[in-house]
Amino acid sequence: MAKSYPRRRNFFGRVVDRVEAVCDVSFSLGHGETLAIVGESGAGKSTVGRLILRLIEPDRGRIVLDGVDLRAMPRRALRLHRRHMQMIFQDPFSSLDPRVEIGRSVEEPMLLHLGLAADERRGRALALLKRVGLDESYARRLPSGLSGGQLQRVAIARALSLNPKIIVCDEPVAALDVSVRAQVLNLMAELQEEFGMSYLFISHDLSIVRAISDRVAVMSKGRVMEIGETEQIFAAPKNDYTNELIRAIPAMAHG
Amino acid sequence: MRKAYYYAALAVLVAFVVLALLAPWVAPYDPNAQDLLSRLKPYSAEHWLGTDEYGRDQLSRLIFGARVSLLAAVEVVAVGLLLGVPSGVLAGFFPGLIDGALSRISDALMSVPSLVLALTIVAVLGQGLGSAMFAVGIVFTPRFFRVARASTYEVRQETFIEASFAIGCSWWRVAWRHVLPNAMSPLVVQIAVVLGAAITAEASLSFLGIGVQPPTASWGGMLSSAYQNLYEAAYLIWAPGIAIALTVLAFTALGDEARVALGTRQPVGA
């Protein structure tokens, strides 16, 4: 899979130079597995996450979900297929429509994909909110009335509402206070046990990655440098860049 | 101080709207009833604002004229919104070819002097207030287009828009349900400003004789006939002139207030 962006165009608008944002990235993700993608900022982690969901169109390559090639899929079909793949974004404060009540935001995916009666949808949304630790009173509030941690819980409930096969988590706790990070991560781990979806967990924080992921892919400058079992990578990194990243973890984080 | 100005503006507009709605009941005379024996009379107890060259009661014509002028302003805004907002959202949503094409059309419209453009459109559609105001609506369409385009473009960058696509919304749903509601506030300001400008435009076109057709009363038409009798009855220009000026000022004040009120809103999502 690859994606490049025009860096410079000539006088006639023809592209003369391109940035290789993501280059020859290839990996697989098993059912119920958590694969972390780590790397410094600008390494192409988030781009990979978005390419997988076809939120950006790849230049070439294949994205296969349970034997179905998403890249070959026409737009309409892709839209319906989105129920199987959801995303949680980095910035909880801007990932929900500020004018839509929390409850309605959680209902929206179900409204789009499941032919449910309004009250059943509402019931499910409330149950999901409860599952992520928010009682009914939150359903009527606007996003501006919630904290970052609460908003991220809402985003998780929303992503879960269609019981997807995979959730791409783009730095889901990076914008949160350290005190609520662990709560959100624990919740995500619990929900994975319960619902059995896979996580593609994008992060630059290796201490978090070590705690949550089964396997790790290390990215740098648009390429995957190394991929393997989490413990193996941390114990014996084969790649210089990985080594460098691991050494950059503050010692305290090992706790 | 600014608040007082705003409330005064609101009061003026509410007063005019109420007068316009209740015109048949509050107007002392039939606005079109001629009385040639008492033509061009100055202010008096029977005719508070005097009478025009056909002896028609100016106050009654002013009240009925408010109906025409306000309705015309609403028509202008409706046409501008209907044409400008969907195209603006489309352009803001799809930068590139669609935006390029729509923006060029808008620029072309803006480059033509508005009154000339309106005159041309009226020439094609035929005289009458309806087509005149439709023409003015087209003249103001680029304003709505530009505002809608710019704020759509801005909202389009927000994460929640990407999130909407990620859960499987069609672009139509994203534009209608998520972009437009969040892009509305600058449009509200624009609506107030254009309402004021439309009152002036109606007055100008009626003054030139291509808006309201006689004997229907409108503020611009009244101004026009007052102008023709300027030497005999100079007082006639005051009432319609002040009514137009007050309404335009009031709409502008309202627009300013909306700008301030909406400008200090919290950034999206915070």
Side-chain angles (χ1 to χ4, degrees):
Chain A
M1 183 167 68
K3 174 74 183 177
S4 65
Y5 288 103
R7 174 149 52 193
R8 223 165 58 209
R9 289 168 187 272
N10 69 9
F11 183 74
F12 301 103
R14 188 145 316 147
V15 178
V16 293
D17 190 12
R18 303 185 73 91
V19 187
E20 299 281 333
V22 170
C23 189
D24 300 332
V25 168
S26 178
F27 56 82
S28 63
L29 176 61
H31 285 279
E33 189 189 31
T34 300
L35 172 67
I37 300 185
V38 300
E40 62 201 347
S41 57
K45 311 183 295 280
S46 296
T47 310
V48 168
R50 284 171 169 78
L51 286 172
I52 284 178
L53 300 183
R54 251 186 86 181
L55 286 174
I56 349 178
E57 294 291 334
D59 297 336
R60 51 181 191 275
R62 294 196 315 147
I63 309 152
V64 182
L65 177 63
D66 277 350
V68 186
D69 186 355
L70 298 179
R71 250 207 93 196
M73 206 174 258
R75 294 194 154 270
R76 233 191 113 73
L78 175 72
R79 218 167 72 216
L80 297 177
H81 211 71
R82 289 200 179 282
R83 59 179 295 184
H84 301 303
M85 42 194 204
Q86 294 292 311
M87 181 154 181
I88 299 169
F89 294 85
Q90 173 170 9
D91 181 4
F93 294 102
S94 69
S95 58
L96 290 168
D97 188 329
R99 284 174 188 267
V100 178
E101 286 172 7
I102 297 302
R104 288 195 161 277
S105 270
V106 176
E107 279 182 53
E108 196 176 10
M110 294 187 272
L111 175 77
L112 294 169
H113 294 280
L114 311 176
L116 291 179
D119 49 342
E120 191 178 349
R121 220 165 49 218
R122 189 70 178 175
R124 281 210 202 181
L126 291 176
L128 279 164
L129 282 174
K130 195 164 186 183
R131 181 63 195 84
V132 298
L134 300 171
D135 66 60
E136 286 196 10
S137 67
Y138 286 95
R140 299 219 65 116
R141 295 204 207 167
L142 290 175
S144 53
L146 273 68
S147 71
Q150 291 170 333
L151 287 171
Q152 212 58 313
R153 287 166 188 271
V154 174
I156 292 170
R158 197 182 197 211
L160 276 177
S161 63
L162 296 171
N163 204 357
K165 293 172 181 164
I166 170 174
I167 301 182
V168 172
C169 317
D170 187 2
E171 309 250 18
V173 296
L176 304 182
D177 286 342
V178 178
S179 55
V180 294
R181 273 185 194 176
Q183 297 171 15
V184 171
L185 287 171
N186 286 339
L187 174 67
M188 288 177 65
E190 277 170 36
L191 292 169
Q192 187 173 35
E193 295 251 311
E194 206 174 314
F195 292 85
M197 66 280 186
S198 317
Y199 285 139
L200 186 70
F201 194 93
I202 298 164
S203 178
H204 62 265
D205 188 335
L206 289 184
S207 48
I208 287 175
V209 164
R210 186 169 200 176
I212 199 167
S213 61
D214 303 313
R215 286 191 304 144
V216 178
V218 182
M219 278 190 76
S220 175
K221 292 174 186 147
R223 288 167 193 276
V224 172
M225 309 307 285
E226 185 171 2
I227 185 165
E229 302 288 323
T230 306
E231 279 319 310
Q232 199 181 322
I233 295 246
F234 277 88
K238 293 195 190 77
N239 187 281
D240 288 348
Y241 178 71
T242 314
N243 219 335
E244 222 173 285
L245 275 184
I246 291 173
R247 266 190 289 133
I249 307 176
M252 274 164 58
H254 287 294
Chain B
M1 178 58 211
R2 211 194 69 232
K3 279 283 174 210
Y5 187 56
Y6 161 68
Y7 284 122
L10 207 61
V12 166
L13 290 177
V14 169
F16 275 130
V17 169
V18 168
L19 278 181
L21 287 174
L22 300 180
W25 294 279
V26 293
Y29 296 90
D30 175 348
N32 298 327
Q34 301 186 6
D35 180 4
L36 295 176
L37 290 176
S38 54
R39 56 190 296 270
L40 296 176
K41 287 280 192 275
Y43 309 140
S44 66
E46 296 103 274
H47 300 289
W48 290 4
L49 297 178
T51 59
D52 67 4
E53 76 266 38
Y54 298 109
R56 297 177 295 198
D57 180 55
Q58 282 291 91
L59 179 60
S60 304
R61 288 184 73 72
L62 193 77
I63 293 170
F64 274 88
R67 282 190 153 186
V68 174
S69 293
L70 292 175
L71 205 66
V74 170
E75 187 189 338
V76 168
V77 169
V79 170
L81 281 176
L82 236 54
L83 293 176
V85 172
S87 55
V89 169
L90 211 63
F93 215 87
F94 299 108
L97 217 62
I98 294 180
D99 176 33
L102 289 170
S103 289
R104 290 301 83 73
I105 296 175
S106 155
D107 288 349
L109 273 177
M110 281 186 112
S111 69
V112 181
S114 50
L115 207 54
V116 175
L117 182 59
L119 286 173
T120 316
I121 297 171
V122 170
V124 174
L125 293 177
Q127 283 192 355
L129 187 69
S131 57
M133 290 302 106
F134 182 75
V136 177
I138 289 179
V139 168
F140 283 116
T141 294
R143 293 205 191 193
F144 289 111
F145 170 82
R146 295 198 141 201
V147 173
R149 173 180 172 271
S151 64
T152 299
Y153 187 78
E154 197 181 314
V155 174
R156 180 85 169 76
Q157 317 293 323
E158 298 275 343
T159 310
F160 70 84
I161 298 303
E162 192 182 17
S164 303
F165 281 118
I167 62 168
C169 290
S170 59
W171 80 263
W172 174 251
R173 183 182 168 88
V174 174
W176 186 247
R177 299 298 288 270
H178 296 294
V179 174
L180 197 57
N182 285 290
M184 269 315 281
S185 25
L187 279 171
V188 172
V189 178
Q190 203 55 226
I191 288 172
V193 173
V194 168
L195 277 171
I199 297 275
T200 322
E202 183 279 324
S204 314
L205 288 179
S206 295
F207 186 85
L208 294 173
I210 57 171
V212 172
Q213 297 307 301
T216 310
S218 87
W219 294 348
M222 289 173 72
L223 206 59
S224 169
S225 78
Y227 177 72
Q228 279 155 26
N229 299 293
L230 194 59
Y231 295 107
E232 288 171 82
Y235 52 84
L236 283 180
I237 63 166
W238 289 110
I242 289 172
I244 291 168
L246 268 181
T247 316
V248 174
L249 273 176
F251 276 128
T252 313
L254 224 58
D256 278 343
E257 185 59 29
R259 198 197 314 273
V260 173
L262 299 169
T264 54
R265 86 189 157 132
Q266 293 172 335
V268 177

